[in-house]
Amino acid sequence: MRQAGRSLPEYREIRASVPMLESCRRPELVTEITLQPVRRHGVDAAILFSDIVVPVAAAGIDLDIVPGTGPVVAEPIRTAADVERIRRITRDDVSYVDEAVRQLVVELGDTPLIGFAGAPFTLASYLVEGGPSRTHAKTKALMYGDPELWHALCARLAEVTLAFLRVQIEAGVSAVQLFDSWAGALSEADYRRFVLPHSTTVLSGLVNSEVPRIHFGVGTAELLGAMGEAGADVVGVDWRTPLDVATGRIGADKAVQGNLDPCVLLAPWPVVEAEVRRILEQGRAAPGHVFNLGHGVLPETDPEVLTRVVALVHELSSRRADQG
């Protein structure tokens, strides 16, 4: 996952005196932080170092990423006038991302770079709540109480997200991932009514880009079928749903990504190895499987364990390929 660097001492050292948003706006820092997990673990692809609120800030929303809290919005969205404050963005508004991607493509050589953005629902939740929320109560109150305003907000965020991903694609990323971190807070019916149209706008808007599109959410077991309809080539699955079960819900035409529980990495190695083997076996039910965690790397994770997991996945995947 994109948080792979959080467990690395070299990441903590380079970020020690630089606020999160500022680090996302410095191409040389973005490049170095993105490369760190690739150097350390030998993974098959790099994940662009950024944050899902970067394009929203570029669109004119006054926010900050507060250590230990997350994104905090100065003036939460409440009215149609607030939605109008969210500007449409161009490449110039996020030129630092464009520059970082171009640098990374050169530095990485044959190693693919995956770009990403936050999905409209998750971005909307931050903007309406004013920060992270356990219940998403204000978000749902707006969603249910003023559907017209809700759809206007998500439509504007879909425009911003689509523009942000297109900048990354034009700069050279090999794939993109749309994160809907909080979609699991919804029922399937609400997801289909209030979220799916806007995620579909983003993913279908990239259909001619000729890069793979990945869609991921947390706690989305009951939403996997609907998420599979949004237009991605790969659907990420968190650790709660076995990959063979997930494939039955998503559809046999989609690859899957996932889904080791990040907490398993804190267990003894035999436990980690057994879980990796189980997930690889269950992933065979899908037409393609990108091994990954079911969510972000915990900061307390031993980097050496991550390196061993990567090596084990490479070993088992090569052995399976040799066997036909």
Side-chain angles (χ1 to χ4, degrees):
M1 301 301 290
R2 63 188 175 88
Q3 300 99 329
R6 293 192 306 185
S7 67
L8 299 182
E10 55 265 40
Y11 169 77
R12 287 192 285 270
E13 181 180 351
I14 202 171
R15 278 284 328 283
S17 60
V18 186
M20 181 62 181
L21 265 181
E22 177 64 22
S23 66
C24 295
R25 292 168 175 158
R26 293 190 190 179
E28 71 284 356
L29 260 184
V30 171
T31 299
E32 171 58 24
I33 293 171
T34 301
L35 290 172
Q36 286 178 348
V38 180
R39 294 194 200 107
R40 172 76 80 125
H41 304 307
V43 290
D44 296 320
I47 310 290
L48 179 68
F49 174 75
S50 188
D51 191 274
I52 63 171
V53 299
V54 165
V56 179
I61 295 297
D62 184 4
L63 58 83
D64 192 17
I65 302 175
V66 178
T69 300
V72 175
V73 179
E75 297 180 49
I77 300 295
R78 296 286 182 268
T79 66
D82 292 335
V83 173
E84 288 303 312
R85 289 193 284 115
I86 306 172
R87 301 192 306 263
R88 293 167 175 84
I89 65 170
T90 67
R91 189 204 66 83
D92 290 342
D93 293 311
V94 287
S95 58
Y96 42 85
V97 173
D98 177 85
E99 184 179 342
V101 170
R102 293 180 189 276
Q103 288 181 12
L104 280 161
V105 169
V106 173
E107 291 284 341
L108 287 164
D110 293 335
T111 301
L113 175 64
I114 302 174
F116 77 92
F121 173 78
T122 291
L123 294 177
S125 182
Y126 279 119
L127 296 184
V128 173
E129 300 287 342
S133 171
R134 291 185 181 276
T135 62
H136 307 281
K138 294 175 183 176
T139 303
K140 292 183 179 182
L142 176 62
M143 193 174 71
Y144 297 137
D146 195 340
E148 183 177 353
L149 178 58
W150 171 261
H151 284 296
L153 171 60
C154 288
R156 178 60 57 87
L157 292 172
E159 288 183 82
V160 171
T161 298
L162 183 55
F164 188 55
L165 289 172
R166 283 175 172 162
V167 167
Q168 296 175 50
I169 290 168
E170 289 168 9
V173 299
S174 300
V176 292
Q177 181 158 242
L178 187 67
F179 281 87
D180 212 351
S181 306
W182 307 133
L186 301 176
S187 68
E188 181 183 355
D190 286 345
Y191 178 87
R192 288 184 177 279
R193 179 182 176 190
F194 295 110
V195 178
L196 182 57
H198 305 290
S199 294
T200 300
T201 294
V202 177
L203 292 166
S204 63
L206 302 173
V207 72
N208 295 321
S209 64
E210 298 184 352
V211 301
R213 296 155 297 164
I214 308 165
H215 195 21
F216 174 71
V218 183
T220 54
E222 297 303 317
L223 308 181
L224 289 172
M227 291 181 72
E229 297 170 18
D233 306 291
V234 183
V235 177
V237 182
D238 75 10
W239 66 92
R240 297 171 178 88
T241 310
L243 292 182
D244 49 355
V245 174
T247 295
R249 296 175 183 178
I250 296 164
D253 60 331
K254 306 285 185 185
V256 294
Q257 174 181 274
N259 66 340
L260 182 69
D261 186 338
C263 292
V264 168
L265 295 171
L266 308 180
W269 175 251
V271 176
V272 178
E273 180 177 0
E275 284 296 286
V276 169
R277 290 177 181 273
R278 176 186 63 80
I279 289 164
L280 286 173
E281 184 60 32
Q282 291 174 342
R284 299 181 72 177
H289 174 208
V290 181
F291 184 90
N292 208 331
L293 302 188
H295 200 205
V297 176
L298 299 174
E300 60 267 37
T301 304
D302 181 354
E304 293 302 318
V305 175
L306 281 170
T307 302
R308 291 183 72 180
V309 167
V310 173
L312 177 61
V313 172
H314 284 161
E315 176 192 345
L316 296 175
S317 300
S318 298
R319 188 182 304 166
R320 185 168 296 161
D322 290 342
Q323 293 170 350

